[in-house]
Each structure stands twice: as C-alpha cells, then as structure tokens.
Amino acid sequence: MGVTIHQVAAEAGVSPSTVSNVLNGRSGRMLPQTRERVEQTIARLGYRPNGAARHLRTGRTQVIGLVVPSVANPFWGTFARHVEAAALLAGYRVLLCNSERDPARERDYLEELWADGIRGVVLCSSLPSLEHVLPLVERGMGLIAFDRTAQAGDPAGLVNISVDNAVGAELATRHVLELGHRRLAFVSGSLRSVNRRARFRGFEAALEQFGLTAADALLFSGGAQDHFGDLDIPDLGRAAARELLAAANPPTAIIAINDMCALGVSASARDAGLQVGEDLSVVGFDDIMLADLATPPLTTIRQPLPAMANAAFAHLRAGIEQDEPAAGGSLLMRPELVVRASTGPAPEVRR
Amino acid sequence: MGVTIHQVAAEAGVSPSTVSNVLNGRSGRMLPQTRERVEQTIARLGYRPNGAARHLRTGRTQVIGLVVPSVANPFWGTFARHVEAAALLAGYRVLLCNSERDPARERDYLEELWADGIRGVVLCSSLPSLEHVLPLVERGMGLIAFDRTAQAGDPAGLVNISVDNAVGAELATRHVLELGHRRLAFVSGSLRSVNRRARFRGFEAALEQFGLTAADALLFSGGAQDHFGDLDIPDLGRAAARELLAAANPPTAIIAINDMCALGVSASARDAGLQVGEDLSVVGFDDIMLADLATPPLTTIRQPLPAMANAAFAHLRAGIEQDEPAAGGSLLMRPELVVRASTGPAPEVRR
DNA sequence: GTGAAAGCGCTAACAC
DNA sequence: GTGTTAGCGCTTTCAC
C-alpha cells in the first residue's frame, strides 16, 4: 500500500519508535539532528501515518459523528458546514448521518458509530426524550445535544446547546405587537419537540406582556397528525395560512415556527391575494440564507449558527480528549431579531 | 472496551476463526448448529466487530468521502442527503468534506481520506481540470466526479456523472422562446466551470434554432472577477438583473445559471417594480426545494438528484469492491423542464 | 537518546 | 468442519 513507519525508520537509520516519537511530538527525547533527519525522511517519502492502525492501537480516532434530521434542510446544511469547518481546524473529520428524525435511526447510527470507534457525536434531535440513546451514553459515548435544552431524566453530564427559543419567539412576537398587531397566529407543526414548545412559550409570554392571552391568539399546530418532516413544513405553513386567512376574523400577523414554514405562509398569503408586509405580517425563525432572498425578504429570528457550531464542537472535543466528568447542562445562545420587509404596521394602525 | 471476537469464541466454545467465518458469511463451511450457536452468542453479548481492526486487517473500510462545495447550499445539501441514503443502504458511512471550491482544499481532503484508508470519494468539483487530484487517482483512489463531464486530459477510467447541462439549458431557453420572448439574457458567474459552459452552449443552441445568435442576447457573466462562491450567487443574480433591466433595451426573459441565481434575479426584478412571470420571465436550473416556494414559484430545469446520487454511489462502490479496470466516461442524466409561474408570454405577445 | 518487543482486534491462508 | 497462526501499521512501556 503506502509508505509505512518501518520504511521511514529504515531510510532515516533509526527505529520505528523514534519515528513514532517524532510523529507524536515527543521530540524532547532525542537529539535535534535525529529529529531533523526523521522529519526530512517523512517529507521525502510523503509518509502519512495509517489512520486505522493508529486508531486500533490507541482506541482514539479523529472522527466525530454529526446526526442531523436532514442536510437537505438549509438550516441543517448550514450547521453541518460550520461544524465541519470547526472540526477540520482541529484535525477532525465528520461523519454525516441524516436521521430523518427517526429515533430508531438515531440509535442505529450511534451504535454503528460506536462500533467504528467513534466516541463523540453531535446529536441534533429535538425529541423530548433521549432515552433511545441512553445505552450509548452509559457506555461512554460523548454526546452534545444540539437544538435542545436539558430535560428531567436526561443522562448526567449531557451538554445541550441551543438558541434561546423562548426569548427568540418572544422577540418575534413583541416585534409585531409593537407594530400594532393584535390578532396574531402561531403556526407550527406538532408541538412535540422541546424547542417548539419553548418557542410557543415565548409567544405566550409576549402576548401576556401586552395584556393578551394565548386564548386571544390563533394557534395552528398541524392538527392531530405529526408534521415533523422537514420537507413538508413549507406545505404545512401553506395549508395553515390558507385556513387561518379564510377564518371570520383572520390574523394580521403570523409567527411561524421557522423560516421554511414562514416561506410557506408567505406563499399562501400571496395565493390569497394579500401583500406580505402590508396586509399580513410574517415572522420566521432561524434566518436561513433564503430568508433574505424571499419575496418579500423575511423578518426573522437569527440563530448564531457559527458560534453555536463552534461551541458544539469545542465541547465535544473537550469531552473526548479529557476524561473529566463533563459538567452537563444547557447552553442557551442569544437570538437576534432581524427586521426585513415581511413585517409592517398593522392595517388598523396604518389607516 | 467492548466485546471482542475472542470473548464470543470462548462463550460459544469455538475458535475466533469460526466466529469470523460466521461474520463474513462463510457459513457454508460449518455445521448449521455451530453457526446457530455462534449467532446466538453474538446476539446475547451484543457483539459488534471493531471497525478499525477490520479496516487495518483487510485494507478496506465501509466509508466513502463526499466532497461538495458546501452543504450550506441547498442543492448540495440535498445531494448529500441522497448520497448518504444510498450509502447507508449498502452499509457504508459518509465522511463530509466541504471544499468551498478550493482546489487545495479538495486535494488536502483527498490526501487525508487516503491516509485514513478511504478508497472511494464522490468529488463534486466543477473545476475544468482535475489535475490537482491526479496523484491520488494514480495511487488508486476511486473517484466519481459529479457535476462535471469528461475532459481531455482526465485520468483514464474516471467516471463522471452530471445532468445534461446543455440539454437542460436548451430546454429552458426554448421554453421562453416558445413563449415569444426574443430579448433574452443569460446570467451566470464566471464561465470557468465545465457545467456552466455547457449550459451556455445549450442557451446558444436554442437561440440558433430560432434564428437568433448569441450576439442578439445579453450575457452577464459576472465580469472579470470570479464569482464562484455559492453564497454570493444570489447577489450576483441581483446585481446582474439590476444592470440588465436598466439597459436601453432590456431583456424580457432571463435564463439564470441556477436557482439561487434566479432567486436573486427575481428579487431584483421586484426591486425594479416588475412582476416576475408577467413583465419579466425568469428560468432557473436545479429545481431546489425552494424553487417551488419562491414568489412566484420558479420555472426551472430539474436535475434528477436521487437517481444521480444513487448512480454515483453505485459506480463508486463497484469501483471499490471490484478491482476491474473501470470503464471511464461521462454519464449524462436527463433534465426536465418544470414550468411554474415565473415564466409567461412575452409582453409583446400578450398585447 | 534510542531500540526491541508486545499487542490493539480482526481475517485468511493453511493445517489438521 | 474447525483451529492455529501470522500478521495488518502503529504506539508504548521498558531495557539498554
């Protein structure tokens, strides 16, 4: 196959151990000239240590797993890119796993990663319970839960990283309330996930600050069926808006669970002959790249994705490389309101 | 660490070789009851073979590399998801590599993958030349070049998979010509890449069929600077449309190099007070998920992405698992015109 | 300061 | 049919 450590050693006139020492930065234990000679030989032969052998010997590998619902979703695609960038800088590779939000698939993937010797995974699962991966955690799998906050019953030491969803939704809701809107609707799929529930709580909190209650607002949570798919969510937004706008007293502002959903809501409003930003205000969540490209550009809540990805990787790496008992908990990153053209004064106010 | 093959062997009262034979489907060589016993022991102990040891021993690994410009781009994100799905079905894992279209990064990544024992990579690079990865190919790296067709000077045996860009662009262009448009523009970044050039050829071919020449059309290729970035391309579309629409005799139809670019063009048309699909027709390319969600929904050329991803993985796997001399060449998949609301009859015709 | 030797967990000849 | 054996390429004590 390729060049081995023995060939390098032979060429340099030293033993494999010395080459290994050079490779692993233990160069203090040898004459500078020896190190020099070995390094030159390595360069000349274009030698690169065999990862599998290293892995087998040390039990460590410079690979992490990244489990996301689906990289076809621009939000997760962007996150994946940032995680990969952070990993690359630290000399790690990233194994991509699309779970399609299927707990069985999440578990199976973690099992396979474990068998492949991978000991660190960024798990993007919004399922309220992580019990399906508990056996892995108990065996020692390093896990960072992304897009989720700590829940009672979580394994000890679990690090959760998420945007502050409640604060984000509150920012979004207050924004339209401040614009004079009083008939609001919240459009989401099933509220089964942790972060969706937090967003709804933020929505409620803002309403209360303005003397309203959730009962005054409309809620469209996708009915009984479980709209968890990332690909149907624009359709869900579309259908929800169609229904809401046809009601007797339709909302003038819609807070969507995320940008993809908001895009569906906007499309539906257009179908109904409404001008988004004038007749109807729409707010998204995430600030995916396309929020800015939509017609009209979408007002939304930005998640600090690069910082979140860096934090996720940094925590994961720390967990893998040190064997300290990780301090579990939730890291809630600060969201930011980005005002664009999809929101405007309430129709009543403008007149 | 985990359970080893020796423990399984001891528990089942056989030798490690027999367990290995069971694991590798060589069960014909043993008594059914032996196999049975081993399988039960494996299940009972929850044994999974150590990937690194297997890899070191056989030189093979069930991991492929996927090099894409950036999964933050929805097109590549969707492609990555399909490749991962195909790989998963065959028991392979996928290592995600974002190249940001940087040849040095592509090469470095391939070198690392090689050192990690990975012998198959789907390389999504639209660079005309693949010479920067030639050393890898010569060492035996299995490569599928995606989104690119064979070029003179390519390494022998290289398999290229791409949509038929020329046919796609021709379909797009003929569509607007048939709608009566005669003042067309082609908006692209630099035409340095193979597929962009092919699309431009398709554009020209359609014009010629209608008795026009490229000289009759406007071309905006981003000027001298190199707009290769996937993230700037909507801005490029925006800027291009702004310029084109301000001209003395502005186009009534714009063929954009891809959907992201078309979205930028649409946004710009809106800025200029034009109704896309009425005052200006816009056609994209790719049919990313968002084409259907745009306002108005985008007429575009669909790439058969699932089929392409399956083909890419299947060819790659064949190349890895058999040691036959792969028959190199180009696989051009058939594109499809998807008509939505962003195109309509030319203004002259409608009157 | 440098080298010899053992072994990580698995597979695949080759014996028996 | 089943077991014995010899490594795959590397790291890491432990001698010298």
Side-chain angles (χ1 to χ4, degrees):
Chain A
M1 242 191 36
V3 183
T4 74
I5 201 171
H6 286 93
Q7 296 174 35
V8 176
E11 284 279 331
V14 295
S15 79
S17 335
T18 301
V19 180
S20 175
N21 283 332
V22 172
L23 248 36
N24 294 286
R26 282 183 286 267
S27 44
R29 317 185 181 172
M30 70 194 76
L31 294 174
Q33 63 221 42
T34 308
R35 206 199 61 177
E36 182 83 356
R37 194 152 30 93
V38 171
E39 279 175 345
Q40 281 174 2
T41 312
I42 288 174
R44 186 157 50 79
L45 266 47
Y47 167 72
R48 310 200 54 160
N50 176 313
R54 227 172 194 181
H55 180 185
L56 177 59
R57 177 62 230 233
T58 61
R60 280 173 270 115
T61 179
Q62 302 273 89
V63 179
I64 63 166
L66 172 62
V67 181
V68 292
S70 168
V71 281
N73 177 327
F75 176 76
W76 292 117
T78 303
F79 180 66
R81 189 179 83 80
H82 290 302
V83 170
E84 186 262 352
L88 186 63
L89 276 178
Y92 278 77
R93 249 82 58 223
V94 175
L95 226 20
L96 175 66
C97 314
N98 294 116
S99 69
E100 307 295 339
R101 294 194 190 273
D102 175 355
R105 194 141 157 194
E106 287 180 1
R107 179 177 36 73
D108 292 350
Y109 244 133
L110 291 190
E111 286 285 359
E112 297 210 0
L113 295 178
W114 180 265
D116 278 352
I118 289 162
R119 294 296 172 264
V121 174
V122 176
L123 178 63
C124 302
S125 169
S126 301
L127 301 169
S129 162
L130 248 36
E131 62 182 337
H132 57 297
V133 299
L134 223 132
L136 274 298
V137 177
E138 281 165 0
R139 262 180 271 168
M141 179 66 107
L143 222 55
I144 301 293
F146 187 84
D147 198 31
R148 177 183 187 281
T149 49
Q151 303 295 303
D154 278 358
L158 179 69
V159 175
N160 294 269
I161 297 183
S162 166
V163 76
D164 192 326
N165 287 291
V167 165
E170 196 179 319
L171 284 173
T173 310
R174 282 172 57 171
H175 169 62
V176 295
L177 287 166
E178 283 163 2
L179 285 169
H181 294 269
R182 284 303 176 269
R183 291 199 311 285
L184 313 193
F186 185 84
V187 172
S188 162
S190 146
L191 286 177
R192 251 186 23 173
S193 80
V194 174
N195 56 4
R196 288 185 180 179
R197 282 207 281 254
R199 289 180 194 180
F200 185 64
R201 277 202 310 279
F203 175 72
E204 288 181 311
L207 288 176
E208 282 164 20
Q209 287 162 24
F210 279 70
L212 301 170
T213 71
D216 295 319
L218 294 159
L219 168 65
F220 191 98
S221 66
Q225 84 276 41
D226 235 304
H227 267 285
F228 238 100
D230 292 78
L231 298 163
D232 337 314
I233 201 135
D235 290 332
L236 175 90
R238 216 166 203 158
R242 188 162 43 230
E243 198 168 302
L244 290 168
L245 296 172
N249 197 16
T252 64
I254 293 182
I255 309 295
I257 196 68
N258 62 29
D259 287 348
M260 297 297 283
C261 182
L263 259 24
V265 168
S266 291
S268 191
R270 170 181 49 82
D271 294 344
L274 298 178
Q275 283 281 89
V276 172
E278 311 232 326
D279 308 314
L280 178 73
S281 284
V282 178
V283 188
F285 203 112
D286 291 346
D287 193 26
I288 58 178
M289 187 190 359
L290 294 126
D292 190 33
L293 282 174
T295 307
L298 194 63
T299 294
T300 189
I301 301 298
R302 175 177 299 163
Q303 300 206 36
L305 224 37
M308 293 170 85
N310 284 338
F313 177 73
H315 276 89
L316 189 59
R317 187 186 184 189
I320 299 172
E321 294 184 358
Q322 311 150 24
D323 263 334
E324 286 174 23
S330 301
L331 178 57
L332 288 178
M333 312 277 287
R334 189 162 166 279
E336 182 189 351
L337 174 69
V338 179
V339 178
R340 296 203 184 92
S342 71
T343 48
E348 304 88 288
V349 174
R350 285 190 297 142
R351 280 189 210 113
Chain B
M1 244 191 34
V3 184
T4 74
I5 202 171
H6 286 94
Q7 295 174 37
V8 176
E11 284 278 331
V14 295
S15 79
S17 341
T18 301
V19 180
S20 174
N21 283 332
V22 172
L23 249 35
N24 294 286
R26 281 182 288 266
S27 44
R29 318 186 182 170
M30 71 195 73
L31 292 175
Q33 63 220 42
T34 310
R35 206 200 62 178
E36 182 83 354
R37 191 151 34 92
V38 171
E39 280 176 344
Q40 282 173 3
T41 312
I42 287 173
R44 185 157 51 80
L45 265 48
Y47 166 72
R48 308 201 56 158
N50 177 313
R54 231 176 191 178
H55 180 184
L56 177 59
R57 177 62 231 234
T58 62
R60 280 173 270 116
T61 179
Q62 302 273 89
V63 178
I64 62 165
L66 172 62
V67 181
V68 292
S70 167
V71 281
N73 177 327
F75 177 77
W76 293 118
T78 303
F79 180 67
R81 189 178 83 80
H82 289 303
V83 169
E84 187 263 350
L88 186 64
L89 276 179
Y92 277 76
R93 250 81 60 219
V94 175
L95 225 22
L96 176 66
C97 315
N98 295 116
S99 69
E100 307 295 340
R101 295 195 190 273
D102 175 355
R105 193 138 158 197
E106 288 181 359
R107 179 177 36 74
D108 291 351
Y109 244 133
L110 290 190
E111 286 285 0
E112 297 211 359
L113 294 178
W114 179 264
D116 278 353
I118 289 163
R119 295 297 173 263
V121 174
V122 177
L123 177 64
C124 302
S125 170
S126 301
L127 301 169
S129 162
L130 248 38
E131 62 181 337
H132 58 297
V133 298
L134 223 131
L136 273 300
V137 177
E138 280 164 0
R139 262 181 272 169
M141 180 66 108
L143 221 56
I144 301 293
F146 187 83
D147 198 31
R148 176 182 188 282
T149 49
Q151 303 294 304
D154 277 359
L158 179 70
V159 175
N160 294 268
I161 297 183
S162 165
V163 75
D164 193 325
N165 287 292
V167 166
E170 195 179 320
L171 284 173
T173 310
R174 282 173 57 172
H175 169 62
V176 295
L177 286 166
E178 283 164 1
L179 286 168
H181 294 269
R182 286 300 176 269
R183 290 201 311 285
L184 314 192
F186 186 85
V187 171
S188 161
S190 145
L191 286 177
R192 253 188 20 174
S193 80
V194 173
N195 56 6
R196 287 184 180 178
R197 282 208 281 255
R199 288 180 195 181
F200 185 64
R201 277 202 310 279
F203 174 72
E204 288 182 309
L207 287 177
E208 281 163 21
Q209 288 162 23
F210 279 70
L212 301 171
T213 72
D216 296 320
L218 293 160
L219 168 66
F220 191 97
S221 66
Q225 83 277 40
D226 233 302
H227 265 286
F228 239 101
D230 291 77
L231 298 163
D232 336 315
I233 199 135
D235 291 332
L236 174 89
R238 216 165 203 158
R242 188 163 41 233
E243 197 167 303
L244 289 168
L245 296 172
N249 196 18
T252 64
I254 293 182
I255 309 295
I257 195 68
N258 62 29
D259 287 349
M260 297 296 283
C261 182
L263 258 25
V265 167
S266 291
S268 192
R270 170 179 50 82
D271 294 344
L274 298 178
Q275 282 281 90
V276 171
E278 310 231 328
D279 308 315
L280 177 74
S281 285
V282 178
V283 188
F285 203 114
D286 290 347
D287 194 26
I288 59 177
M289 187 188 2
L290 294 125
D292 190 33
L293 283 173
T295 308
L298 193 62
T299 294
T300 189
I301 301 298
R302 174 177 299 162
Q303 299 206 37
L305 224 36
M308 293 169 84
N310 284 338
F313 177 72
H315 277 88
L316 189 60
R317 187 187 184 188
I320 299 172
E321 295 184 359
Q322 310 150 24
D323 263 334
E324 287 173 24
S330 302
L331 178 56
L332 288 178
M333 312 277 286
R334 190 164 165 278
E336 183 189 351
L337 173 70
V338 179
V339 178
R340 298 204 183 92
S342 72
T343 47
E348 304 88 289
V349 173
R350 284 191 296 144
R351 281 189 210 112

